[in-house]
Amino acid sequence: MTIQKFSKREAIRFGWNTMKSNLGFFIGLLIVVILIGIVPGIIADLLAKDAPVLSIIISIASWVLQLVIGMGLIKIALRFCDKEKGEFAELFSCFPLFFKYLFGSILCMLIVLGGMILLIIPGIIWSIKFQFFTYFIIDKGLGPIEALKRSSAITKGAKWDLFIFGLLLGLINLLGALCLLVGLFATIPTTIVAMAFVYRKLLAQTEIVQL
């Protein structure tokens, strides 16, 4: 059996160097993301008393937009991994994939929840096993079930490394938050790109094995 491997140091270094080379772009990108995440919520709260229906519509629209932007951030990270430049327009480019992403997220959540009920450990394992399903939807346009299957395939033999890697990324962002939150403008792009880098590495290894 071929064990899928990746270098945590290489992934984090690639994310860090990509962030440094495109710092202005990422700062502007995160400011846009933050504003889109906050402003509609403020408007919805202001309208909640006098126009509750409109407030609910704005809240739902904001939730949908935030999911789409989350997908857009992954797409931008993948572009950098492919040695292409990120573009602000990519933030909103994944609207056609929204329902695939939504249904996939629900399926993954139910699977992980079921694992958590089974003494927690299976839930952790399954969350690692299926963590790249969103990448397959965004990168390959796959349906939810096929994306979950492909994520399961590329994480085979790499779950422990992915668990440690996830802890490292969490620690990096914690350090960014401790730097008066300003550090997050450096650590969030670093970790997003690093995770996309790992996806690309594992996917490439799987495709080589299949050949």
Side-chain angles (χ1 to χ4, degrees):
M1 180 188 298
T2 301
I3 298 177
Q4 311 299 322
K5 293 182 179 180
F6 64 92
S7 168
K8 304 176 196 65
R9 179 177 296 180
E10 182 185 12
I12 292 172
R13 184 189 301 118
F14 180 82
W16 178 257
N17 289 336
T18 300
M19 178 277 299
K20 286 198 302 180
S21 300
N22 302 273
L23 182 58
F25 170 79
F26 281 118
I27 289 176
L29 189 71
L30 290 179
I31 289 174
V32 170
V33 171
I34 292 169
L35 289 176
I36 292 175
I38 293 176
V39 173
I42 294 174
I43 295 174
D45 288 340
L46 292 174
L47 295 173
K49 183 176 180 180
D50 298 324
V53 174
L54 181 58
S55 175
I56 292 172
I57 292 173
I58 292 174
S59 296
I60 294 173
S62 174
W63 172 72
V64 171
L65 188 57
Q66 288 179 51
L67 289 183
V68 171
I69 285 175
M71 290 189 284
L73 288 173
I74 292 176
K75 188 168 184 178
I76 288 170
L78 289 172
R79 284 179 63 92
F80 280 112
C81 291
D82 296 335
K83 303 186 186 310
E84 299 175 4
K85 285 292 184 180
E87 299 177 1
F88 280 94
E90 297 288 354
L91 270 182
F92 311 99
S93 65
C94 294
F95 269 110
L97 301 172
F98 172 75
F99 286 107
K100 288 183 179 181
Y101 179 84
L102 178 62
F103 293 145
S105 297
I106 292 172
L107 282 174
C108 189
M109 180 186 66
L110 291 174
I111 292 171
V112 172
L113 180 60
M116 290 297 182
I117 294 173
L118 297 173
L119 302 178
I120 300 178
I121 299 300
I124 296 174
I125 294 173
W126 292 342
S127 67
I128 296 170
K129 180 177 182 177
F130 298 118
Q131 68 178 302
F132 291 115
F133 85 91
T134 55
Y135 291 77
F136 280 106
I137 290 175
I138 295 161
D139 187 33
K140 306 294 185 182
L142 299 183
I145 295 176
E146 184 60 26
L148 289 166
K149 289 180 179 178
R150 293 290 298 276
S151 179
S152 173
I154 70 169
T155 56
K156 190 174 296 183
K159 292 182 183 63
W160 179 248
D161 283 335
L162 287 168
F163 175 72
I164 299 299
F165 186 63
L167 292 180
L168 285 174
L169 296 190
L171 179 60
I172 289 171
N173 280 320
L174 176 60
L175 292 174
L178 291 175
C179 296
L180 302 177
L181 300 181
V182 177
L184 290 173
F185 283 95
T187 61
I188 289 177
T190 297
T191 54
I192 291 175
V193 173
M195 185 59 79
F197 179 88
V198 169
Y199 161 77
R200 278 280 185 255
K201 283 289 185 181
L202 295 178
L203 178 60
Q205 289 181 28
T206 303
E207 290 175 341
I208 291 172
V209 170
Q210 290 175 343
L211 292 174

